[in-house]
Amino acid sequence: MTTAAMSCAAAVANPRHNLKPATSITTTQMAAFPANISLPLNMGAAHKPRSIACSSSTTVQNSPAAAPAGSSSDRVFNFAAGPATLPENVLLKAQEELYNWRGSGMSVMEMSHRGKEFLSIIQKAESDLRTLLNISSEYSVLFLQGGATTQFAAVPLNLCKPDDVVDYVITGSWGDKAFKEAAKYCKPKSIWSGKSEKYTKIPSFDALEQTPGAKYLHICANETIHGVEFKDYPKPADENTLLVADMSSNFCSKPVDVTKFGVIYAGAQKNVGPSGVTIVIVRSDLIGNAQPITPVMLDYKIHADNNSLYNTPPCYGIYMCGLVFEDLIAQGGLSEVEKKNAKKASILYDAIDGSKGFYWCPVEKSVRSLMNVPFTLAKPELEAEFVKEASMEKMVQLKGHRSVGGMRASIYNAMPLAGVEKLVSFMKDFQARHDG
């Protein structure tokens, strides 16, 4: 009998597993298990794990009090830029509620989006998000679809007439994409671009030559690919000019004064949920002026009037966002979350800067992202080996974006301190074996 079959048989025989008789496994079924189970490539004899360990004083954040045995050790540290890692206790809560949500007899995935059960979920999610960001009643909160990329079109369609001029500060690839999309619906003007310096800086706000009468000033608050983050926000020179921000990759990673903005939009899949949910926070007096050509699904008024339920929304994704919001509140709110993020980022950047050039981060220190840390190796030929060995140590998705190369460690809210410490330990070990 194979090990896998023996485990199944033991599970059936053990009444503590509370399996119903209908789930018993027959001899024929057990025989169907493969006689030889192939191990993953990273378990081969060619690589002997070096037991890269994190600090003994560190406990994994967000670990639940009663996690299933071995659950943490079964998971990797996922440094992906998005979809990104989620809090372990949130995943376990979702697992617990997956089959039968709080006695409703249904999974959230089966609920009518207009039923009382889901209404309670989306209303609680909105309420908790308003608490986290101190969003006043003067703003509408919309749970939409299509990612931040869809908002590149929705923003000018809702805020502008075709001849309106709007200003864009382009600090990376996403700001550039937003600028190019807006050209279809209004007259965008690039008032600053960091492209010539490979998007490693953010301009002095005083040096920005804003356009008088511009309808809005658009920024990308954190550039996921290039690792550049606004630490403060520019003030529009004209009091009638709105500030608009794509906050996808640092949304809910720190407190934000929402009153400074006309519109904030963010894809959820970095910090607050799975892919499929896009959150828009828009000042309510700006709603209702969409261009006539605006598709119904991009019109903020349609969604605001219907409380984000005009059509079937991404119900399960919204539910997951709600669980994350609850978790962020339980951590003490976004001020406490920001402290944790700053500590993680400091440890990683210190390791890079202290490597005597073996690792290098190209971003100007004053605007380095707390969320996305790009770095290169002095010997580019070692990059593939770095990624391979890190994966063997259960640290994945460290390869940089295809447009810039190198490495990128995304250390969003849900990345525990232990994950960053393990990465730094690995980096030091890798350097010791390959430097010189």
Side-chain angles (χ1 to χ4, degrees), residues 200-202 229-232 363-369:
T200 56
K201 297 181 179 180
I202 283 176
E229 182 175 18
F230 281 80
K231 303 302 179 180
D232 195 5
V363 180
E364 186 178 276
K365 288 186 177 182
S366 64
V367 294
R368 286 176 170 179
S369 172

Side-chain angles (χ1 to χ4, degrees), residues 245-283:
D246 173 1
M247 290 192 180
S248 293
S249 52
N250 65 351
F251 188 67
C252 284
S253 68
K254 59 183 178 180
V256 170
D257 184 355
V258 173
T259 64
K260 292 183 177 181
F261 299 85
V263 178
I264 292 170
Y265 62 92
Q269 69 274 12
K270 317 289 188 176
N271 269 315
V272 299
S275 60
V277 181
T278 309
I279 296 169
V280 175
I281 302 169
V282 53
R283 211 173 69 199

Side-chain angles (χ1 to χ4, degrees), residues 119-370:
L119 288 178
S120 71
I121 290 171
I122 193 171
Q123 289 167 2
K124 177 68 160 49
E126 178 179 337
S127 176
D128 285 347
L129 179 57
R130 286 184 180 275
T131 296
L132 282 167
L133 286 170
N134 193 26
I135 304 170
S136 75
S137 59
E138 296 178 355
Y139 285 79
S140 296
V141 174
L142 309 177
F143 293 95
L144 307 178
Q145 302 178 65
T149 302
T150 299
Q151 295 306 310
F152 296 167
V155 166
L157 281 168
N158 280 275
L159 301 184
C160 300
K161 295 181 175 62
D163 291 331
D164 284 342
V165 176
V166 294
D167 286 344
Y168 278 72
V169 178
I170 303 174
T171 53
S173 295
W174 294 110
D176 185 55
K177 290 178 186 292
F179 167 73
K180 290 174 179 176
E181 185 70 5
K184 301 174 183 177
Y185 310 109
C186 60
K187 298 189 180 301
K189 181 178 179 181
S190 171
I191 60 171
W192 188 89
S193 173
K195 186 175 183 179
S196 63
E197 296 180 88
K198 298 184 178 179
Y199 297 127
T200 56
K201 297 181 179 180
I202 283 176
S204 165
F205 299 156
D206 293 336
L208 293 176
E209 296 184 6
Q210 298 185 42
T211 306
K215 192 68 177 180
Y216 64 77
L217 171 63
H218 182 281
I219 63 170
C220 179
N222 185 91
E223 286 284 355
T224 318
I225 294 173
H226 297 91
V228 179
E229 182 175 18
F230 281 80
K231 303 302 179 180
D232 195 5
Y233 303 107
K235 182 178 180 180
D238 189 318
E239 64 178 10
N240 294 317
T241 298
L242 306 167
L243 182 59
V244 175
D246 173 1
M247 290 192 180
S248 293
S249 52
N250 65 351
F251 188 67
C252 284
S253 68
K254 59 183 178 180
V256 170
D257 184 355
V258 173
T259 64
K260 292 183 177 181
F261 299 85
V263 178
I264 292 170
Y265 62 92
Q269 69 274 12
K270 317 289 188 176
N271 269 315
V272 299
S275 60
V277 181
T278 309
I279 296 169
V280 175
I281 302 169
V282 53
R283 211 173 69 199
S284 298
D285 65 320
L286 302 175
I287 296 173
N289 302 303
Q291 294 183 31
I293 65 168
T294 304
V296 66
M297 288 302 294
L298 299 190
D299 190 335
Y300 292 157
K301 180 173 172 55
I302 294 292
H303 296 292
D305 287 350
N306 289 276
N307 299 309
S308 300
L309 298 170
Y310 175 72
N311 71 325
T312 307
C315 296
Y316 198 79
I318 293 169
Y319 157 74
M320 290 295 295
C321 289
L323 294 185
V324 173
F325 297 153
E326 289 179 359
D327 179 65
L328 295 175
I329 290 173
Q331 291 184 51
L334 299 186
S335 292
E336 292 302 313
V337 170
E338 182 181 24
K339 292 176 185 177
K340 295 176 183 178
N341 287 331
K343 182 176 182 179
K344 291 184 296 185
S346 176
I347 291 171
L348 183 49
Y349 283 121
D350 285 350
I352 294 169
D353 294 340
S355 70
K356 298 181 179 180
F358 188 83
Y359 303 107
W360 181 65
C361 175
V363 180
E364 186 178 276
K365 288 186 177 182
S366 64
V367 294
R368 286 176 170 179
S369 172
L370 298 187

